[in-house]
């Protein structure tokens, strides 16, 4: 680490450094521009929380799928076509009236990309990562998630060995809604566990 | 871990990732740093897990000590981690990166920013942004 730090000129912006790195890697034939741009475009436009919302809506409406999802998250999610980097070792946690899970990555920002996309800045922020472990109820309250004192709160630390996705509670009053309509209700934040899914 | 296995569900009825009101990448260079890393991992030039270990160390180092008033930048840590991995594997020596960055910095005004809008490059971008 020190070797690189010693040569970092803080006056050179990250934009220039990224551009310089890309040009050197291109010259060495280690990358090609098309692959880089495909990755950027994919995560900017195609992979995101709408994938996880479909998983949740299916689990809400198909008991057999839900059982599969809770038993083997990686396989059940892949069965809907959602796979790729950071989609291995998925564990799905069911929120119930008695237990509320909330997910963090205390070391960096491990996050289930295929179902949620890239993490939002608050998830990566040192304040969230430190505080949700120490005072989860206070953090949840700031998100507007007021939990009954009787509800057990479990803070789950994602890592490269296990990446968590929360299966939020299906809100009351949605019994007549279709799977597609339900998917539209499911938010990214509810699948991280900082909020609940609200009825329309 | 190839691009082919990534789901490209652009046809679906659901909103794109930015639907929660935040861009995936706040600045273009963040996307380049991300795309570079994933392209290198995809080709097996670096291992994402090894990169992640260095990223964790970078984030911890920032949290332990940083200039007063400096805001946390996840992708700055990410880019530093990538530079470090490439330097330690001797794929891109640090001095060479510094020299190239300085050369780019010395370009005339109008050529030293906004990668995507820089038409002076010789490596043929698809200008579809």
């Amino acid at each position: 680490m020190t070797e690189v730090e010693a040569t970092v000129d803080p006056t050179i912006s990250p934009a220039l450094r990224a551009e310089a790195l890309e040009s050197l890697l291109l010259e060495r034939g280690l990358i090609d521009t098309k692959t880089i741009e495909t990755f950027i475009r994919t995560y900017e436009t195609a992979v995101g929380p709408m994938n996880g919302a479909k998983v949740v809506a299916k689990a809400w409406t198909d008991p057999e799928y839900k059982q599969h999802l809770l038993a083997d998250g990686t396989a059940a999610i892949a069965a809907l076509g959602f796979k790729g980097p950071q989609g291995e070792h998925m564990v799905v946690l069911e929120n119930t009236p008695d237990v509320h899970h909330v997910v963090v990555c205390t070391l960096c920002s491990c996050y289930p990309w295929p179902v949620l996309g890239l993490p939002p800045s608050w998830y990566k922020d040192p304040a969230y990562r430190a505080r949700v472990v120490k005072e989860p109820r206070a953090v949840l309250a700031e998100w507007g998630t007021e939990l009954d004192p009787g509800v057990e709160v479990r803070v789950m630390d994602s890592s490269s060995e296990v990446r968590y996705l929360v299966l939020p509670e299906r809100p009351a009053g949605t019994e007549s809604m279709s799977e597609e309509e339900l998917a539209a209700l499911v938010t990214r934040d509810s699948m991280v566990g900082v909020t609940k899914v609200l009825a329309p | 871990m190839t691009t082919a296995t990534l789901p490209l569900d652009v046809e679906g009825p659901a909103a794109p990732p930015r639907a929660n009101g935040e861009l995936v990448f706040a600045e273009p260079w963040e996307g380049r740093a991300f795309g570079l890393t994933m392209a290198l991992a995809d080709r097996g030039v670096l291992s994402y897990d090894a990169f992640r270990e260095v990223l964790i160390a970078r984030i911890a180092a920032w949290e332990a000590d940083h200039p007063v008033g400096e805001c946390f930048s996840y992708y700055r840590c990410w880019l530093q981690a990538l530079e470090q991995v490439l330097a330690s594997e001797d794929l891109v020596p640090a001095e060479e990166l510094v020299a190239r960055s300085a050369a780019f910095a010395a370009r005339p005004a109008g050529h030293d920013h906004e990668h995507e809008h820089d038409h002076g490059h010789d490596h043929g971008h698809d200008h579809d942004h």
Side-chain angles (χ1 to χ4, degrees):
Chain A
M1 189 181 296
T2 46
E3 177 200 336
V4 175
E5 267 167 348
T7 53
V8 168
D9 179 347
T11 62
I12 296 177
S13 71
L16 274 176
R17 299 183 74 88
E19 188 185 355
L21 199 57
E22 181 172 345
S23 76
L24 290 166
L25 289 166
L26 284 166
E27 283 170 15
R28 286 162 162 77
L30 294 172
I31 47 167
D32 63 276
T33 306
K34 203 170 159 224
T35 307
I36 299 167
E37 303 207 330
T38 299
F39 271 109
I40 297 171
R41 210 163 30 239
T42 298
Y43 286 94
E44 275 183 338
T45 60
V47 181
M50 62 284 193
N51 294 355
K54 287 176 191 161
V55 172
V56 168
K58 185 159 182 65
W60 282 349
T61 52
D62 179 344
E64 221 170 285
Y65 181 76
K66 178 179 165 183
Q67 209 175 8
H68 185 202
L69 184 67
L70 295 175
D72 186 345
T74 311
I77 288 166
L80 296 192
F82 305 132
K83 41 193 159 183
Q86 308 294 296
E88 313 87 4
H89 319 302
M90 290 291 312
V91 170
V92 179
L93 308 161
E94 184 181 15
N95 278 355
T96 68
D98 302 317
V99 179
H100 185 96
H101 298 89
V102 58
V103 181
V104 65
C105 171
T106 53
L107 289 179
C108 47
S109 56
C110 293
Y111 196 72
W113 294 357
V115 279
L116 294 186
L118 297 179
S121 57
W122 59 262
Y123 184 84
K124 300 175 287 197
D125 193 81
Y128 174 76
R129 289 170 27 239
R131 286 190 61 225
V132 76
V133 176
K134 282 186 213 146
E135 40 176 4
R137 281 176 192 273
V139 172
L140 290 171
E142 286 163 23
W143 281 91
T145 307
E146 303 277 0
L147 297 174
D148 210 67
V151 177
E152 182 190 344
V153 177
R154 293 184 191 159
V155 180
M156 308 301 290
D157 197 352
S158 268
S159 68
S160 60
E161 286 81 40
V162 50
R163 288 180 202 89
Y164 296 110
L165 178 74
V166 171
L167 174 59
E169 281 180 85
R170 179 172 175 170
T174 58
E175 292 73 16
S176 62
M177 291 176 75
S178 70
E179 192 179 320
E180 200 173 46
E181 289 168 329
L182 288 167
L185 297 182
V186 181
T187 60
R188 173 193 67 198
D189 300 346
S190 72
M191 292 183 279
V192 180
V194 289
T195 60
K196 294 184 170 203
V197 176
L198 304 176
Chain B
M1 190 150 153
T2 64
T3 47
T5 62
L6 289 168
L8 284 161
D9 187 18
V10 284
E11 309 284 313
R18 60 182 71 198
N20 289 282
E22 184 188 341
L23 294 171
V24 175
F25 302 112
E27 295 180 56
W29 71 264
E30 299 183 352
R32 299 313 290 186
F34 170 80
L36 279 177
T37 308
M38 297 312 295
L40 289 166
D42 191 49
R43 200 183 269 199
V45 177
L46 60 78
S47 121
Y48 185 82
D49 285 343
F51 164 77
R52 178 180 164 277
E53 292 302 317
V54 179
L55 175 61
I56 288 172
R58 276 284 164 183
I59 292 172
W62 186 89
E63 287 177 359
D65 182 30
H66 56 265
V68 177
E70 183 178 275
C71 291
F72 177 70
S73 163
Y74 176 77
Y75 280 106
R76 196 171 50 219
C77 291
W78 177 296
L79 181 61
Q80 289 170 350
L82 179 61
E83 290 177 14
Q84 188 178 329
V85 168
L86 292 171
S88 67
E89 307 260 320
D90 223 22
L91 291 166
V92 179
E95 319 77 73
E96 217 174 314
L97 178 62
V98 169
R100 180 64 56 91
S101 302
F104 281 178
R107 287 175 303 195
H111 287 270
D112 60 352
H113 64 277
E114 289 299 321
H115 195 104
E116 276 78 355
H117 303 148
D118 185 349
H119 296 269
H121 280 242
D122 57 2
H123 50 71
H125 285 289
D126 294 328
H127 286 275
D128 53 359
H129 295 277

